Amino acid sequence: TSELNKHKPWIETTYHGIVTENDDKVLLDPPLIALDKDAPLRYAGEICGFRIHGQNVPFEAVVLDKSTGEGVIRAKGPLDCELQKEHTFTLQAYDCGEGPDGANMKKSHKATVHIQVNDINEYAPVFKEKSYKATVMEGKQYDSILRVEAVDADCSFQFSQICSYDIVTPEVPFTVDKDGYIKNTEKLNYGKERMYKLTVTAYDCGKNRASEDVLVKINVKPTCKPGWTGFNKRIEYEPGTGSLPLFPSVHLETCDEPITSIQANIELETNHIGKGCDRDTYSEKALHKLCGASGGGTVELLPAPSSATNWTVGLPTDNGHDSDQVFEFNGTQAVKVPEGVVSTSLKEPFTVSVWMRHGPGAHDKETVLCNSDKTGMNRHHYSLYVHNCRLILLLRQEPTETENYKPAEFHWKLDQVCDKEWHHYVVNVEFPSVSLFVDGASFEPFLVTEDYPLRPSKIDSQLTIGACWQGKAALPPPAGRSAPRPRDVLSGHMAQFFRGNLAGLMIHSGKMENKKVIDCLYTCKEGLDVQLPEEVATSIKVEFNPNQSSLSVEGDDIDAFDKVMQHISYLNSRQFPTPGIRHLRVSTTVKCFKEEACVTVPDAEGYVMVLQPEEPKISLSGIDHFARGAAEFESPEGVTLFPELRIVSTITREVEAEVETVVSEEIMHNLDTCEVSALGDELDGEHESLELDPAQLTQRSLEMTSSTLGLVITGVSTMAQYETVLHLIRYKNWHTEALFDRKFKLVCSELNGRYISNDFKVEVRPGSRTPPHLLIGAGSQRPNFINPVHHASVDLSGHNLVNPHQASVVPSAATVVIVVCVSFLVFMIVLGVFRVRATHQGVARDQEAGKENEMDWDDSALTITVNPMEVGAQEEDDITSAESESSEEEEGAEEEGQQGASRQQQLEWDDSTLTY
């Protein structure tokens, strides 16, 4: 039998096959054919099968024709190229042996089979990121802005390769290449578009499109310009709110340059406000007191124009309300100070202080203050003037026994004299030494010249401001006269005119060397402020200028620098600031490693808008007309003019609610002037006066001036203090027979007239000295300003209208008349009682109508006596004088409530003191 199956089958040593995934048919090269040399013998020459060797081989080999040895390899199930691209295994063919039972079967050698699984394009491209974003600078052309990238899960190169990308969004200035790089096709403009949104898709090489397109955001950044960002140009300041941060969110952009140092100067421009910045606008005299300057001997030479100080009336000035009282001198104007305002003797130490704003000017002398001869010799006794940016004080000594040279001119060379800015000058004179303070800083004279003292002379001197008086020489006196006659004196003229602004010119007896006082006089009430955060306090250096209108910040760390800038604030400590714009400028210098200014930072400019403060309404109220007995007017004490005066100040605010409502709120502030003036005729000093105890004023640091017009109280003090002082003003009149009534007006104000109260008018009326017995029987001459029936608004119930004390003063002649008419009198008394009761009822009715009225008569000095002889006649008479119309109807409910108890003891009218 062994001779029947002599040979082994033969197959190729290597096969290569291809199969497509999801298919089972394998294409082999070469084809699978097994040969056996025992052919054509049956069984021995036939191929019965192929055996595959290997683990988990997903293929099987099948014999198609036993006799030819032809076979195929096929996949057992679906293949996944993505899991395994290639398969390698070994294959053996075996023959059918020697019979049907396969005995003595022979195997071929093992052939190696390599099968590649062919891919089908079953997967679509997928982008690696959900979205893409990038930032580009405007005006720049990029080769590549960013790259988008998609992947494909297919296993083959063809189907897993991304062959192209495409921007789906139409009309955008961008393109994408086959590798996913996006670039701009034109220069981008931040002003035109700040951000682009693109939709991008991808295709594999089998032209499969991405399952989901991707969003690409491209931000356009403006060209990096070094500078301050987050800088608000307009900052609103609400008065009374304290410090306001000016740059709360500021940041210095340096465009990533390597910085070594930063310096910023912050300037607050306040030159147009008052005298260089916001200060309290009280009179200079009041400010000296507030600042603690020693009292006494202070004379204001440029006061606000008024009836008492009228020499400044002709000078141009600002309105003097929101800001300080400033006078302009244009080179043609000057004023003469009246005689007696300033003592001509300046031997004692004295001080001249002034606010001055002056430009470079011409080369001529320009006089601030000058005391010169009125006539004749044209000598300058003392003067303060500017010349070529120098401040010069001329002080000629008066005649002395010794004719030695003495210091006469003191020169200071000062930039401040010519910089067109406001400065505060204080000149202390204690001969022979003179000291100068400018804005609180001390300056020594660079030159002192000497001269002889003046020669004795009887010529009067003239004090002028803004120029010097040049008196012309007089004609020679006629024979026999030692002095020229008035008609021989020729008129003089002004010379050496000042060009600029002056304010607060004062002469003060004694020296003013207290630095605190001088600083107080010129220190601004507004300025820059900074609270340094602890973490940057050591690394950043901050310096202020004296009046806090500018500060410099220096450091090397941008973050710390930003923090300091964010803590710089504006502060105005005035209760009622001057409203308006304060310009703000930040100038910055940045240096890099080579100590060069490598980054140019433009100036940042804005402004602080100080809003209009709520305007206070100062209200004066109280008893506005009353009568007193003549004896009170003539007594040493006189009559209290404002016994129940009240001073109240309110502001009106809008409250934001569902419905806008306006509320009135009482506030406290100072007053600086109250003026009491006589209405009608001026005060006659021979028989009337207004008086106030000077000690009461002194202890409250107030001053008073009086004239025939009235009196003026000045000084900065609280409303309560002024109220107390005004209560003490007394009016005296020792000639009341000629006085029917006297009217006065009271006006109070704050901040040099910026806020003015209402005109509070008060009318006082004295009783007369007519003997009481003349009243009896004078039925046709009843007082024409009393109508107790129709015009009463005071409650007379409970009062005894017949004064029992009058019986004791009725003379005997009147008694005779009463006895003769006793029978008629009894009848009239009965009728009188009836009328009195009717009067009570009428009073009660009229009182209700009178509740709404505000005027209040204080009748505390008068009593009412009803003459029974007149009762019948009252029904026929219809007396309606101006007094009866107004006197009783005007009592307000408020005063009645406060004073009702005392009034019930006082409201008895006594006609016995009235003349008819």
Side-chain angles (χ1 to χ4, degrees):
T1 52
S2 59
E3 291 178 1
L4 291 177
N5 192 8
K6 293 181 181 178
H7 300 94
K8 295 187 292 184
W10 177 87
I11 56 176
E12 299 283 351
T13 55
T14 304
Y15 293 91
H16 292 277
I18 297 172
V19 62
T20 302
E21 63 178 340
N22 300 329
D23 192 6
D24 64 347
K25 188 177 181 183
V26 179
L27 296 175
L28 277 181
D29 179 26
L32 181 57
I33 297 173
L35 300 175
D36 195 318
K37 287 184 178 180
D38 293 322
L41 289 176
R42 194 177 178 194
Y43 300 115
E46 291 178 327
I47 303 300
C48 262
F50 298 96
R51 182 175 295 169
I52 290 173
H53 299 279
Q55 282 189 337
N56 301 322
V57 177
F59 294 96
E60 60 182 4
V62 179
V63 176
L64 294 178
D65 188 335
K66 289 183 179 182
S67 59
T68 59
E70 187 179 348
V72 292
I73 296 176
R74 61 189 179 198
K76 292 179 182 178
L79 297 172
D80 190 346
C81 171
E82 285 71 39
L83 289 176
Q84 193 169 342
K85 279 187 180 183
E86 293 181 349
H87 297 270
T88 301
F89 52 89
T90 54
L91 179 72
Q92 266 185 321
Y94 53 91
D95 57 20
C96 295
E98 295 178 349
D101 56 358
N104 201 21
M105 173 193 71
K106 289 189 183 293
K107 299 176 186 177
S108 69
H109 64 272
K110 291 179 180 177
T112 303
V113 179
H114 298 284
I115 296 178
Q116 179 182 328
V117 181
N118 266 7
D119 187 23
I120 61 171
N121 198 3
E122 60 186 320
Y123 292 101
V126 175
F127 284 96
K128 283 186 172 183
E129 306 287 341
K130 288 184 178 179
S131 65
Y132 293 86
K133 61 182 178 180
T135 300
V136 296
M137 295 296 297
E138 68 171 342
K140 188 176 177 182
Q141 193 79 46
Y142 287 84
D143 292 332
S144 171
I145 295 170
L146 79 160
R147 185 188 185 194
V148 294
E149 193 175 358
V151 292
D152 193 308
D154 286 310
C155 65
S156 66
F157 178 81
Q158 179 187 5
F159 297 141
S160 67
Q161 183 75 8
I162 306 300
C163 270
S164 66
Y165 292 90
D166 192 20
I167 295 173
V168 179
T169 309
E171 296 179 2
V172 287
F174 298 95
T175 184
V176 60
D177 65 11
K178 64 183 181 63
D179 295 320
Y181 290 101
I182 295 175
K183 65 179 182 178
N184 53 323
T185 56
E186 62 184 52
K187 291 178 180 180
L188 304 177
N189 187 328
Y190 177 79
K192 183 180 175 183
E193 192 73 52
R194 297 185 179 189
M195 186 177 76
Y196 291 89
K197 292 182 179 180
L198 318 175
T199 303
V200 178
T201 193
Y203 293 92
D204 62 21
C205 293
K207 299 201 174 177
N208 236 2
R209 180 174 172 167
S211 54
E212 284 187 19
D213 300 339
V214 74
L215 178 66
V216 178
K217 293 180 182 177
I218 298 176
N219 287 301
V220 180
K221 192 178 178 183
T223 306
C224 184
K225 296 171 184 172
W228 292 102
T229 61
F231 184 92
N232 290 329
K233 283 193 177 292
R234 176 188 170 101
I235 304 116
E236 288 191 353
Y237 183 79
E238 185 82 37
T241 53
S243 289
L244 174 71
L246 294 173
F247 322 111
S249 54
V250 81
H251 165 67
L252 180 60
E253 177 61 68
T254 56
C255 296
D256 300 325
E257 288 284 350
I259 302 302
T260 56
S261 75
I262 313 162
Q263 183 176 358
N265 289 308
I266 299 92
E267 294 175 69
L268 182 73
E269 191 180 305
T270 60
N271 291 347
H272 59 295
I273 305 293
K275 297 191 289 285
C277 66
D278 215 0
R279 295 181 178 87
D280 282 329
T281 55
Y282 297 118
S283 71
E284 199 67 22
K285 200 169 184 178
L287 289 170
H288 274 66
K289 276 197 173 183
L290 283 175
C291 287
S294 56
T298 300
V299 180
E300 201 166 355
L301 297 181
L302 283 175
S306 69
S307 57
T309 55
N310 58 5
W311 63 88
T312 57
V313 169
L315 289 175
T317 174
D318 70 358
N319 58 24
H321 287 269
D322 285 347
S323 53
D324 302 312
Q325 191 81 33
V326 171
F327 294 95
E328 182 184 346
F329 293 82
N330 62 10
T332 63
Q333 292 154 316
V335 292
K336 293 181 181 180
V337 179
E339 284 185 38
V341 173
V342 178
S343 166
T344 53
S345 171
L346 291 169
K347 292 180 180 177
E348 297 301 317
F350 70 96
T351 301
V352 177
S353 64
V354 66
W355 283 96
M356 180 170 69
R357 177 168 61 183
H358 182 261
H363 296 296
D364 301 325
K365 291 181 179 180
E366 297 181 48
T367 302
V368 175
L369 178 69
C370 179
N371 184 268
S372 57
D373 285 345
K374 272 190 177 179
T375 58
M377 301 168 76
N378 193 22
R379 300 171 307 170
H380 294 186
H381 296 255
Y382 62 87
S383 69
L384 185 67
Y385 63 94
V386 294
H387 186 211
N388 292 335
C389 295
R390 296 177 185 183
L391 181 70
I392 300 159
L393 174 72
L394 169 70
L395 188 65
R396 297 289 300 278
Q397 289 301 293
E398 296 301 322
T400 58
E401 294 177 5
T402 57
E403 294 267 327
N404 296 332
Y405 270 112
K406 292 187 177 178
E409 273 194 337
F410 301 83
H411 296 244
W412 293 271
K413 195 166 187 177
L414 301 166
D415 293 337
Q416 291 91 329
V417 171
C418 291
D419 65 3
K420 293 185 180 179
E421 304 288 347
W422 278 106
H423 297 286
H424 183 246
Y425 300 83
V426 176
V427 182
N428 278 317
V429 179
E430 188 175 23
F431 197 79
S433 69
V434 176
S435 60
L436 170 70
F437 292 89
V438 182
D439 296 337
S442 178
F443 290 86
E444 292 298 321
F446 81 95
L447 176 66
V448 178
T449 60
E450 295 185 337
D451 202 348
Y452 282 113
L454 294 170
R455 295 183 179 277
S457 168
K458 294 182 180 179
I459 299 173
D460 291 334
S461 61
Q462 174 67 58
L463 184 61
T464 53
I465 300 168
C468 230
W469 177 254
Q470 307 282 21
K472 290 190 177 178
L475 295 173
R481 291 180 62 94
S482 59
R485 294 170 299 184
R487 67 171 178 266
D488 297 326
V489 178
L490 301 178
S491 61
H493 67 281
M494 294 286 188
Q496 300 174 4
F497 286 96
F498 181 78
R499 292 177 180 272
N501 296 96
L502 297 175
L505 178 58
M506 305 274 289
I507 289 186
H508 184 92
S509 65
K511 288 166 61 177
M512 188 192 298
E513 292 183 309
N514 188 326
K515 186 77 165 63
K516 283 186 179 178
V517 173
I518 295 171
D519 286 349
C520 171
L521 287 171
Y522 88 91
T523 300
C524 295
K525 292 281 186 170
E526 67 177 336
L528 300 172
D529 190 22
V530 63
Q531 299 294 327
L532 283 179
E534 286 184 15
E535 63 268 25
V536 299
T538 54
S539 61
I540 302 292
K541 181 181 171 187
V542 178
E543 287 184 355
F544 286 90
N545 76 335
N547 64 359
Q548 293 195 298
S549 63
S550 68
L551 62 86
S552 65
V553 184
E554 206 170 330
D556 55 9
D557 180 78
I558 290 180
D559 290 339
F561 205 90
D562 286 349
K563 268 187 184 169
V564 171
M565 291 292 291
Q566 289 162 11
H567 282 78
I568 293 173
S569 57
Y570 170 80
L571 174 64
N572 194 316
S573 60
R574 291 189 68 194
Q575 187 176 8
F576 304 110
T578 304
I581 287 173
R582 277 77 162 158
H583 287 283
L584 197 61
R585 180 183 288 106
V586 179
S587 48
T588 313
T589 305
V590 176
K591 291 183 179 177
C592 297
F593 281 106
K594 294 180 181 178
E595 289 293 317
E596 294 174 0
C598 54
V599 176
T600 303
V601 178
D603 289 356
E605 296 188 3
Y607 61 91
V608 177
M609 171 58 80
V610 178
L611 301 178
Q612 183 80 36
E614 302 285 354
E615 192 157 319
K617 181 183 178 184
I618 306 169
S619 302
L620 310 179
S621 61
I623 299 172
D624 55 8
H625 59 301
F626 56 83
R628 290 285 184 267
E632 284 194 48
F633 284 91
E634 298 181 8
S635 68
E637 291 80 19
V639 173
T640 303
L641 203 53
F642 307 108
E644 295 180 25
L645 176 75
R646 281 212 66 211
I647 305 176
V648 175
S649 186
T650 55
I651 56 172
T652 304
R653 284 187 176 159
E654 287 186 4
V655 178
E656 291 183 12
E658 294 180 4
V659 180
E660 277 199 10
T661 54
V662 176
V663 297
S664 189
E665 180 184 329
E666 188 172 334
I667 62 165
M668 302 303 294
H669 58 76
N670 291 330
L671 297 176
D672 61 358
T673 307
C674 280
E675 183 171 355
V676 183
S677 49
L679 296 177
D681 295 337
E682 294 183 8
L683 291 170
D684 186 344
E686 291 187 7
H687 62 254
E688 61 179 340
S689 68
L690 286 174
E691 294 183 2
L692 181 55
D693 182 4
Q696 297 289 344
L697 292 165
T698 305
Q699 69 186 44
R700 292 173 174 84
S701 296
L702 299 175
E703 292 184 3
M704 179 182 74
T705 56
S706 57
S707 67
T708 57
L709 299 173
L711 57 83
V712 181
I713 303 170
T714 56
V716 180
S717 194
T718 63
M719 291 186 291
Q721 292 277 37
Y722 263 94
E723 206 175 88
T724 303
V725 167
L726 291 168
H727 285 165
L728 300 173
I729 295 177
R730 309 187 80 82
Y731 171 61
K732 293 167 74 172
N733 190 312
W734 46 95
H735 189 57
T736 52
E737 289 86 350
L739 181 68
F740 178 66
D741 61 13
R742 198 55 159 124
K743 295 177 182 175
F744 296 94
K745 180 178 77 173
L746 172 64
V747 179
C748 293
S749 63
E750 161 69 334
L751 291 171
N752 225 5
R754 180 173 172 186
Y755 301 120
I756 303 174
S757 74
N758 60 308
D759 289 357
F760 178 66
K761 294 177 183 176
V762 65
E763 180 181 333
V764 295
R765 174 169 294 187
S768 84
R769 303 182 176 282
T770 307
H773 66 273
L774 295 181
L775 295 172
I776 303 303
S780 63
Q781 296 183 345
R782 292 178 11 252
N784 67 353
F785 67 101
I786 300 170
N787 190 333
V789 177
H790 303 292
H791 298 286
S793 64
V794 270
D795 187 358
L796 299 179
S797 60
H799 286 261
N800 178 9
L801 294 181
V802 180
N803 190 337
H805 297 294
Q806 294 301 321
S808 64
V809 297
V810 176
S812 59
T815 307
V816 173
V817 174
I818 293 170
V819 169
V820 170
C821 303
V822 67
S823 58
F824 179 73
L825 184 58
V826 170
F827 170 75
M828 292 303 292
I829 288 174
V830 172
L831 184 60
V833 171
F834 174 78
R835 291 293 292 139
V836 168
R837 294 188 65 180
T839 300
H840 278 295
Q841 293 169 358
V843 167
R845 286 194 304 272
D846 291 345
Q847 182 184 2
E848 293 302 313
K851 289 284 186 185
E852 297 174 5
N853 298 320
E854 294 296 328
M855 292 176 64
D856 185 359
W857 275 85
D858 181 352
D859 309 311
S860 59
L862 299 173
T863 57
I864 300 173
T865 303
V866 175
N867 187 345
M869 301 294 288
E870 297 179 358
V871 174
Q874 283 181 354
E875 296 186 36
E876 299 169 9
D877 290 343
D878 183 17
I879 298 169
T880 55
S881 70
E883 194 54 46
S884 63
E885 288 294 339
S886 64
S887 65
E888 295 288 349
E889 288 180 346
E890 301 295 327
E891 173 153 312
E894 181 179 338
E895 280 89 355
E896 181 179 287
Q898 293 171 350
Q899 304 158 18
S902 63
R903 290 199 188 276
Q904 292 202 348
Q905 307 303 320
Q906 297 173 351
L907 287 176
E908 293 184 3
W909 284 75
D910 182 2
D911 297 345
S912 65
T913 59
L914 300 173
T915 53
Y916 306 116

